[in-house]
Amino acid sequence: MEQQIFSSRISSILTLLGVAIGLGNVWRFPYMMGSYGGSAFLFVYFIFTLLFAVPALMAEMALGQMSGLGTVDALRIGLGKKAGNFLGYLLLFVITVSGSYYATIVANVFFTTCFSLVVGFSAKSNVAYQEQLSNTWLQYGITVLLILASLYVIRKGLAKGIEYVSKIVMPLFFLTLIYMIVHVLLIPGALTKGLEFLHPDWSLMGASEIFAAMGQAFFSVGLGGTFVVVYASFFKKNENIPLVALFTGLGDMSASVLISLFIVPAVLVFGLDMTTGPTLIFQTFPQLFNSMPGGRLVGSLFMLAIFIVAFLSLVAAYQVPFTTLQHEWPSVNRRKILYMIGALQLVLALPSNIYPGIISVLDLIFGSGMQVLGSAFCIFGLTWGINRVKGRSQLFQSDRESNWHSILYIWIKWAIPLALLSVLFGYLTQ
């Protein structure tokens, strides 16, 4: 089987941004910032992204590029055959479950986008919207269509599928956000409210807020021993890993800033609540678009932008087991592997549609918690399980010793695992 390779560095970065931004920035970030310290949370999140998330990205990329064969093989290289097999297949199980409930959320986003375009939000239509959003079989039908669409993109291959879609979608996403920001800031009072909110109140940042910001930094860039490891297996052998990781982290932070510049002034100027938690996108936003001048157009564009990046993350969730199982089961036809993944996802997605309340529980276990643990496995494997010279050489694509290489390697080896485990402890004890 011929190894697929990204056509260029920009394709690598855009594809990784499609995974990183996803709903982590758009669905999760606004309510995290609203609940954990406001703009002070934003600044702490920036610091943690650069200090912790970007180096962790480097480690996952290095291990994935070294393997070139997916999650299970990457962990076998870092942790040995027995531990690598067990933990690798554990992470495949985790991403399979995550993909099932994530598909349900993406389906809800797609439905909200279509509702905004076709009907629009108003006091009268919002009642119908909530009823249809709770319609199990309608939402499950959309979930099925999105699962099939994701598998179709994967079947088209790297160049004609994921790369092609990412190169169109990501520039469109950022242009849409810029348009929406300009529109919102022209609303009387929005700019003043936004500037007031962006003035940080550091007294709001206690231990729980700091850990929440660190957790968001890790969550936001797509760490977990799965997405990044698999997409790094498509890197060219001489790819500059620190540079790709840095641009991925900066792009992810830029998306968070742009989303904040749209959401915060809009929510505040219309007197809505940013601390409503995960329901912000499906309850507060319809009220916002109903109140906002030109809200139907802007709301539709915003939901379309959310759906675009969420769909790319959904594709990545299925690309992980597909790429890994292709290499683990070389005698099985790739189309059969896709059929198997699709059938499993159709079954696993049903409970999340019937009992939506379980999504938050599943996300805490299989999203937040196991994502942190999976990234820790990769970093332990690269820095503790592999020869130091070999690990450094893979990280920096150079055998030359330098002071900054040594400092960064030590930081990744000691500080990043401790930070990840502290975040995991925070999740388990909250």
Side-chain angles (χ1 to χ4, degrees):
M1 180 176 58
E2 184 180 351
Q3 176 68 23
Q4 299 183 92
I5 300 293
F6 281 120
S7 60
S8 64
R9 180 171 296 160
I10 190 66
S11 294
S12 306
I13 294 170
L14 287 174
T15 302
L16 284 162
L17 278 177
V19 176
I21 293 171
L23 288 177
N25 292 69
V26 188
W27 171 58
R28 196 174 192 265
F29 188 83
Y31 78 77
M32 288 290 289
M33 185 170 66
S35 302
Y36 291 97
S39 59
F41 175 92
L42 180 67
F43 290 109
V44 175
Y45 156 77
F46 286 164
I47 294 168
F48 283 146
T49 297
L50 293 174
L51 286 181
F52 295 102
V54 169
L57 271 176
M58 289 175 56
E60 289 201 19
M61 287 177 183
L63 197 62
Q65 185 191 47
M66 181 183 292
S67 166
L69 301 177
T71 295
V72 176
D73 186 74
L75 288 173
R76 275 198 295 256
I77 289 174
L79 301 173
K81 186 175 181 180
K82 186 177 291 187
N85 278 334
F86 173 76
L87 296 175
Y89 279 104
L90 174 63
L91 291 184
L92 284 190
F93 170 72
V94 167
I95 198 65
T96 299
V97 175
S98 300
S100 68
Y101 69 76
Y102 190 76
T104 302
I105 299 170
V106 180
N108 294 160
V109 171
F110 181 74
F111 169 74
T112 305
T113 305
C114 294
F115 190 92
S116 181
L117 283 166
V118 176
V119 180
F121 292 108
S122 65
K124 185 177 179 181
S125 68
N126 281 358
V127 175
Y129 164 72
Q130 293 295 336
E131 288 177 354
Q132 293 174 37
L133 188 66
S134 303
N135 185 319
T136 296
W137 298 111
L138 172 62
Q139 298 303 322
Y140 181 66
I142 298 171
T143 303
V144 170
L145 290 175
L146 292 179
I147 290 171
L148 296 177
S150 302
L151 295 174
Y152 176 77
V153 172
I154 294 171
R155 185 174 178 272
K156 295 291 287 183
L158 182 64
K160 295 181 180 179
I162 296 167
E163 262 196 80
Y164 179 77
V165 173
S166 298
K167 284 192 285 190
I168 294 174
V169 158
M170 293 315 299
L172 178 63
F173 170 75
F174 281 103
L175 288 173
T176 302
L177 281 181
I178 290 169
Y179 170 80
M180 293 186 304
I181 291 165
V182 172
H183 179 88
V184 166
L185 293 181
L186 291 176
I187 297 172
L191 182 60
T192 303
K193 290 283 188 181
L195 290 174
E196 287 176 1
F197 182 85
L198 290 175
H199 183 72
D201 182 355
W202 295 107
S203 66
L204 298 175
M205 294 301 293
S208 62
E209 286 76 18
I210 290 172
F211 278 117
M214 186 185 294
Q216 177 63 24
F218 285 129
F219 181 90
S220 182
V221 296
L223 296 170
T226 51
F227 303 118
V228 177
V229 168
V230 166
Y231 279 154
S233 71
F234 303 143
F235 284 177
K236 296 176 181 178
K237 287 301 179 186
N238 62 344
E239 186 59 87
N240 188 324
I241 286 176
L243 189 65
V244 174
L246 179 61
F247 274 108
T248 301
L250 291 175
D252 186 70
M253 286 181 1
S254 300
S256 296
V257 171
L258 291 175
I259 290 161
S260 301
L261 287 174
F262 166 70
I263 291 174
V264 171
V267 168
L268 293 180
V269 80
F270 292 108
L272 301 177
D273 187 6
M274 275 191 59
T275 64
T276 52
T279 60
L280 179 72
I281 194 173
F282 301 119
Q283 293 184 6
T284 303
F285 286 174
Q287 297 177 51
L288 172 63
F289 301 145
N290 179 35
S291 307
M292 182 188 299
R296 183 168 179 179
L297 173 61
V298 176
S300 299
L301 283 174
F302 180 70
M303 295 310 304
L304 180 62
I306 294 177
F307 171 70
I308 281 170
V309 292
F311 180 73
L312 285 178
S313 294
L314 186 62
V315 171
Y318 302 150
Q319 182 72 51
V320 170
F322 176 67
T323 297
T324 302
L325 293 178
Q326 273 192 107
H327 296 294
E328 294 297 305
W329 303 343
S331 61
V332 180
N333 182 277
R334 66 194 300 269
R335 187 173 294 184
K336 289 183 179 179
I337 294 175
L338 278 176
Y339 289 155
M340 183 188 71
I341 293 170
L344 188 57
Q345 288 298 322
L346 293 178
V347 172
L348 291 177
L350 190 55
S352 296
N353 281 273
I354 297 174
Y355 307 108
I358 68 170
I359 291 177
S360 59
V361 178
L362 291 173
D363 188 53
L364 181 64
I365 299 169
F366 293 97
S368 303
M370 290 305 297
Q371 193 170 355
V372 171
L373 197 58
S375 189
F377 292 154
C378 289
I379 294 167
F380 278 126
L382 182 75
T383 56
W384 292 90
I386 294 174
N387 175 275
R388 178 176 177 273
V389 174
K390 187 176 181 181
R392 279 169 51 107
S393 174
Q394 188 68 36
L395 266 173
F396 305 111
Q397 294 296 309
S398 172
D399 295 326
R400 182 175 59 86
E401 295 278 343
S402 71
N403 289 335
W404 88 268
H405 284 180
S406 299
I407 293 169
L408 186 53
Y409 181 82
I410 291 170
W411 179 258
I412 292 172
K413 183 173 183 176
W414 291 98
I416 305 301
L418 288 173
L420 283 164
L421 293 175
S422 69
V423 169
L424 178 60
F425 179 78
Y427 283 132
L428 294 175
T429 56
Q430 69 180 2

